[in-house]
Amino acid sequence: NRGTKVLSSSYRVLQMNKIKDKVDLLKDTPVLFIAAGPSLDDNLEWVKLNQNKFFIVCIGRALKKLVDNEIRVDVVATLDEQEFLADTQFDDETMSKLGKNTLLFAGSITNENVLNKFD
């Protein structure tokens, strides 16, 4: 039911079949996918120094570490439906550090408290 509610709400839903032939935004830009884990800690300084060479996509769990280290995030992806994520991964302090153009790619089951943290 949550997925149906989200799809029928005012949230903007990405419909790849309608835009795939019209968008070439990343045609010449490498994408850097970042997840949480020991390798993020090991490579954090490299990411910070090279962030302007990439379009950066991270999972929600890595978001706080990236913004705390002044690393730009273009897209945050989350599929988790847990309510507590609004206060942990997407807390107000972390959200205040995000750039205004950061996008959220969320599953339709994502908790509404998380969705409401994004414009």
Side-chain angles (χ1 to χ4, degrees):
N1 287 338
R2 189 181 308 171
T4 303
K5 180 180 176 187
V6 168
L7 292 173
S8 64
S9 71
S10 62
Y11 296 114
R12 291 177 282 178
V13 177
L14 181 63
Q15 297 177 6
M16 290 301 292
N17 61 331
K18 293 185 179 182
I19 67 164
K20 67 180 178 178
D21 295 329
K22 299 175 187 173
V23 177
D24 64 353
L25 172 69
L26 301 175
K27 182 179 178 183
D28 297 316
T29 305
V31 179
L32 182 61
F33 292 94
I34 300 177
S39 63
L40 177 55
D41 292 334
D42 294 344
N43 294 289
L44 198 57
E45 190 59 33
W46 182 90
V47 172
K48 186 172 184 173
L49 292 172
N50 292 283
Q51 65 183 307
N52 292 325
K53 297 176 183 176
F54 298 95
F55 184 86
I56 298 176
V57 178
C58 79
I59 63 162
R61 186 72 182 125
L63 178 63
K64 186 172 185 63
K65 183 168 290 209
L66 294 175
V67 298
D68 283 349
N69 285 278
E70 300 176 351
I71 296 172
R72 183 198 78 258
V73 175
D74 297 300
V75 173
V76 181
T78 182
L79 294 174
D80 201 319
E81 64 182 315
Q82 300 299 316
E83 184 175 354
F84 71 86
L85 295 178
D87 296 322
T88 56
Q89 291 178 12
F90 300 98
D91 60 278
D92 292 340
E93 181 183 348
T94 299
M95 297 304 293
S96 71
K97 295 177 184 178
L98 279 182
K100 65 178 179 145
N101 294 321
T102 301
L103 299 173
L104 173 68
F105 282 6
S108 59
I109 63 167
T110 300
N111 189 279
E112 192 170 5
N113 292 336
V114 171
L115 295 176
N116 289 334
K117 298 264 184 164
F118 289 82
D119 290 334

